Amino acid sequence: MSTFPSSATCAPGRKTIRKITCLGSGFVGVTAFKSNVVVTVVDIDPVRIAAWQSEFLPIYEPGLYDVVAAARDGINLDQQSPDPVSIQSKNGRMNDSMDHNEFTRQPNLFFSTDVDKAIEDADLIFVCVNTPTKRNGVGKGAAPNLGFVEAATRNIAKVATENKIVVEKSTVPCRTAQYIRDILSANAQPGVRFDVLSNPEFLAEGTAIRDLLYPDRIIIGSMPTPAGYRAASSLADVYAQWVPQERIITMNLWSSELSKLASNAMLAQRISSVNALSAICEATGAKVDEVSYACGLDSRIGPKMLKAGPGFGGSCFQKDIFNIVYLSESLHLYEVADYWRTIINMNEYQKQRFTKRIISCLFHNLTDKKIAVLGFAFKKDTSDTRESPAITLVRNFVAEMAQVAIYDPQVKEQQIWTELVNDGGDLKHLKQSVCICKTAYAACAGADAVVIVTEWDEFSNKSDLARPETTVTTLREISANRSFPPRVLSGPDELVDKLARSTLSRSPPRRSKIETREWTHMPSIEERFDSLDLAAERKVPSEQLRLDWARVAKDMRKPKYVFDGRGMLDAAELEALGFRVEVIGRASAVSRDLHD
């Protein structure tokens, strides 16, 4: 294992990467945004590609649109006015003052369904296709389905007529790169050579743009050969345009592959650990947020990923743990497999335990009672619903004959129905018990209970969302904490500042309004993203946009229960409005009353 500078010196004659093709579309904009490389993203789904080319991207992520639009559409600033002009965008986001210098950025991010042409044109190919858990056959429910990876690999071998670097970006089991190498070498056209790298992404949905701009590390795995080192150095050169060289780490292929699975498994382990403690806290009168805060002060532990909740979700944690379980069993390491499986078991237990607490408080009967579910995404600041705890909770409520009303500010109605049907529900039956609402007030009207499942800021009744109850930090703080040198930007500071401020005018009309503010200086890239975090993109609402809990109280049926699955509400304030508040990781209100 080595950092980029030492590996680079061992790889003279490495190839300069000018064109990159991404097979599969995900968080695609930053490589183009922060480098001079031409990036083409291809997908076989024309609807998805059309969405990436529009103002309405297929996924929601704070800051994503601005990054994609700047690289996709280019920038042409030519201010003729003798004085700076302050422009307010249609949706209320602030376009800061622009000087009258001239700056042009040509587009370098493109989207296409022409997969073969993109492969042929590329110097380097990112394989970013999906690797879902198998639903049938050997390894059902645990092993990853690598069919998309194999199909993409075979297509590369069929189409490529020149040497290519193929980079495994998808999360895959250890030693998958060897299968990719075998397929490429067996099917390559005469005289064509492929170098295979592993370059996993360590992104947290909701903060993915920050994670890409300011990564903790860039891992590049290669074969321990001169050709492997040259390929790794070529990719490292791309990242070095905005990532400090000491954060670009090279290692062997198998270590790189396993590092992604191991990182996600250990993060999930922390969540399941604090959720296990939340059960003890509820039984003893301790408060899980205080316990986790005390633990987080230990420098060996740290404060992140110690927030109790209804269980983790998303596309990575559960799938990657199952990957490790299956790998361990394949290697006959059954005790190891059992250890990692307990994390999944604890996650499922937490969802069921939260459901039982709700049923118990509502007199052990949900029949014909209206339950308002606030939030369906697996976490805030994303529209991703995969493995969301809300899916399990809604299924449980429907099984108890409840009437369920769902509201989420970013998840589309069809996506919710799809998740519930994929979970085993019958659409016709579901629509008799479930309604999806356009506002939180509609969901809560006439409800017997409100259940907070996703920690969207607009649901909070706290005056300070960021301190100390949440772990949100600004990009400026991230930059300071990670000690990035001034040269992080992909070019002269002036160039990137102009690019950053110009992206403010390219916001999709669906974003929330924010308060107009005048800039007294030209904002840097960090300040530009801070403004998004503190306003529309992080959806920190003003007092007017935040949920009015007094209004909710007037329309609910007594005794007006609120179940805070995220520990994000000021319980005392809600109790003053007449609510009965049950907070995950705290003793039941009934138990507290008995002790009082």
Side-chain angles (χ1 to χ4, degrees):
M1 183 178 69
S2 62
T3 57
F4 167 55
S6 59
S7 65
T9 57
C10 300
R14 59 188 182 274
K15 185 177 184 179
T16 299
I17 304 301
R18 293 183 172 85
K19 293 184 178 181
I20 291 176
T21 288
C22 300
L23 302 184
S25 55
F27 295 108
V28 296
V30 170
T31 299
F33 177 67
K34 297 293 288 183
S35 75
N36 56 10
V37 177
V38 174
V39 178
T40 301
V41 179
V42 294
D43 200 295
I44 60 174
D45 183 355
V47 175
R48 189 170 180 85
I49 289 298
W52 280 111
Q53 293 171 328
S54 73
E55 287 188 326
F56 300 95
L57 304 186
I59 55 179
Y60 171 75
E61 178 78 22
L64 178 62
Y65 181 86
D66 299 279
V67 167
V68 170
R72 181 193 68 190
D73 304 335
I75 304 298
N76 189 354
L77 293 181
D78 184 8
Q79 297 297 319
Q80 302 298 330
S81 173
D83 298 314
V85 179
S86 181
I87 304 171
Q88 178 75 24
S89 64
K90 291 181 180 179
N91 68 343
R93 188 183 295 176
M94 187 62 197
N95 298 336
D96 50 300
S97 298
M98 296 183 285
D99 62 19
H100 32 264
N101 290 329
E102 191 175 297
F103 169 65
T104 299
R105 173 195 170 103
Q106 296 299 319
N108 66 328
L109 175 62
F110 304 93
F111 297 90
S112 174
T113 56
D114 192 342
V115 178
D116 290 357
K117 183 178 186 304
I119 290 173
E120 181 59 31
D121 290 346
D123 302 310
L124 181 147
I125 301 168
F126 283 141
V127 179
C128 315
V129 297
N130 195 18
T131 54
T133 302
K134 290 181 69 175
R135 295 187 176 184
N136 302 290
V138 177
K140 172 184 175 181
N145 184 343
L146 300 179
F148 296 123
V149 173
E150 180 176 348
T153 304
R154 289 185 178 277
N155 198 39
I156 293 170
K158 181 184 74 173
V159 171
T161 58
E162 297 178 347
N163 297 344
K164 307 287 182 185
I165 299 173
V166 178
V167 182
E168 174 191 78
K169 293 289 280 186
S170 303
T171 303
V172 293
C174 191
R175 299 197 72 85
T176 299
Q178 183 60 51
Y179 303 140
I180 293 175
R181 295 178 71 242
D182 290 345
I183 291 171
L184 291 173
S185 61
N187 294 277
Q189 296 189 33
V192 176
R193 190 191 77 249
F194 296 99
D195 294 303
V196 177
L197 303 176
S198 169
N199 176 218
E201 284 186 340
F202 300 91
L203 306 179
E205 291 188 68
T207 59
I209 298 301
R210 282 179 279 176
D211 296 339
L212 286 162
L213 286 169
Y214 298 95
D216 291 320
R217 75 286 203 201
I218 297 294
I219 301 297
I220 301 174
S222 70
M223 293 297 293
T225 63
Y229 294 140
R230 284 194 297 269
S233 295
S234 294
L235 179 56
D237 286 341
V238 175
Y239 285 113
Q241 295 183 56
W242 79 92
V243 179
Q245 291 182 344
E246 63 271 16
R247 294 185 183 271
I248 303 174
I249 310 299
T250 59
M251 58 182 62
N252 77 42
L253 276 171
W254 329 130
S255 297
S256 176
E257 290 176 330
L258 188 56
S259 67
K260 174 60 182 292
L261 298 177
S263 294
N264 281 343
M266 295 182 77
L267 291 172
Q269 178 189 52
R270 287 173 69 95
I271 296 173
S272 282
S273 295
V274 75
N275 282 342
L277 289 171
S278 74
I280 298 175
C281 290
E282 291 172 21
T284 61
K287 296 181 178 180
V288 71
D289 50 347
E290 294 178 346
V291 173
S292 61
Y293 176 73
C295 293
L297 292 175
D298 188 324
S299 60
R300 297 168 299 175
I301 298 173
K304 295 184 178 181
M305 307 296 284
L306 290 179
K307 188 72 174 175
F312 58 75
S315 62
C316 294
F317 284 178
Q318 180 166 298
K319 182 182 71 172
D320 291 354
I321 292 173
F322 277 136
N323 251 324
I324 292 181
V325 169
Y326 184 72
L327 175 64
S328 301
E329 290 177 340
S330 300
L331 298 171
H332 307 291
L333 302 173
Y334 300 111
E335 292 81 4
V336 176
D338 290 342
Y339 170 78
W340 290 110
R341 190 180 284 109
T342 59
I343 297 171
I344 298 293
N345 295 341
M346 177 54 62
N347 196 54
E348 292 303 311
Y349 168 73
Q350 184 76 346
K351 300 176 203 176
Q352 301 303 329
R353 193 175 68 81
F354 191 44
T355 300
K356 291 177 181 178
R357 182 173 180 180
I358 293 169
I359 296 172
S360 176
C361 289
L362 294 176
F363 313 108
H364 301 278
N365 173 39
L366 298 188
T367 302
D368 292 330
K369 291 180 179 177
K370 182 178 179 181
I371 310 297
V373 174
L374 298 188
F376 200 84
F378 84 92
K379 63 184 288 190
K380 74 172 185 176
D381 289 340
T382 180
S383 58
D384 194 347
T385 57
R386 287 172 291 183
E387 306 296 340
S388 171
I391 301 170
T392 300
L393 294 174
V394 171
R395 182 218 307 151
N396 292 343
F397 297 153
V398 170
E400 293 289 330
M401 308 298 290
Q403 295 296 311
V404 183
I406 302 170
Y407 166 73
D408 190 288
Q410 289 295 337
V411 179
K412 296 178 180 179
E413 179 175 343
Q414 185 56 49
Q415 186 175 342
I416 295 176
W417 290 123
T418 299
E419 290 287 8
L420 296 177
V421 169
N422 289 343
D423 189 51
D426 175 75
L427 184 60
K428 183 177 179 180
H429 174 68
L430 284 168
K431 289 194 172 183
Q432 294 174 354
S433 303
V434 178
C435 68
I436 300 169
C437 302
K438 299 296 185 182
T439 69
Y441 298 111
C444 296
D448 294 88
V450 175
V451 182
I452 304 290
V453 183
T454 310
E455 69 280 23
W456 288 106
D457 291 335
E458 68 184 76
F459 302 151
S460 177
N461 65 334
K462 293 180 178 178
S463 58
D464 185 356
L465 298 178
R467 302 290 188 271
E469 294 291 335
T470 70
T471 58
V472 173
T473 52
T474 65
L475 277 180
R476 188 184 295 108
E477 291 169 320
I478 294 172
S479 179
N481 292 338
R482 297 182 181 180
S483 302
F484 272 39
R487 58 150 296 279
V488 172
L489 303 178
S490 64
D493 287 3
E494 180 184 4
L495 181 150
V496 180
D497 283 344
K498 290 177 179 178
L499 175 59
R501 71 170 185 273
S502 67
T503 62
L504 285 168
S505 65
R506 299 177 177 268
S507 308
R510 64 179 174 176
R511 299 294 191 242
S512 301
K513 291 184 178 181
I514 62 173
E515 181 180 356
T516 301
R517 76 189 255 201
E518 295 291 338
W519 294 102
T520 58
H521 67 290
M522 193 61 63
S524 67
I525 188 72
E526 293 88 351
E527 291 171 320
R528 175 259 179 284
F529 273 95
D530 281 349
S531 70
L532 295 180
D533 283 343
L534 296 175
E537 287 287 9
R538 191 158 53 90
K539 297 190 81 69
V540 176
S542 68
E543 295 298 330
Q544 291 74 27
L545 294 176
R546 198 177 301 168
L547 190 63
D548 182 352
W549 283 97
R551 176 179 168 184
V552 172
K554 291 179 181 178
D555 293 334
M556 284 184 63
R557 293 177 60 188
K558 293 182 179 180
K560 296 185 295 190
Y561 269 99
V562 174
F563 296 93
D564 182 3
R566 295 291 183 169
M568 64 178 296
L569 300 175
D570 185 332
E573 182 177 306
L574 291 185
E575 287 168 350
L577 294 173
F579 289 103
R580 292 188 183 181
V581 184
E582 299 288 327
V583 183
I584 202 161
R586 297 188 187 183
S588 168
V590 175
S591 299
R592 294 197 304 268
D593 291 343
L594 291 174
H595 284 95
D596 291 344

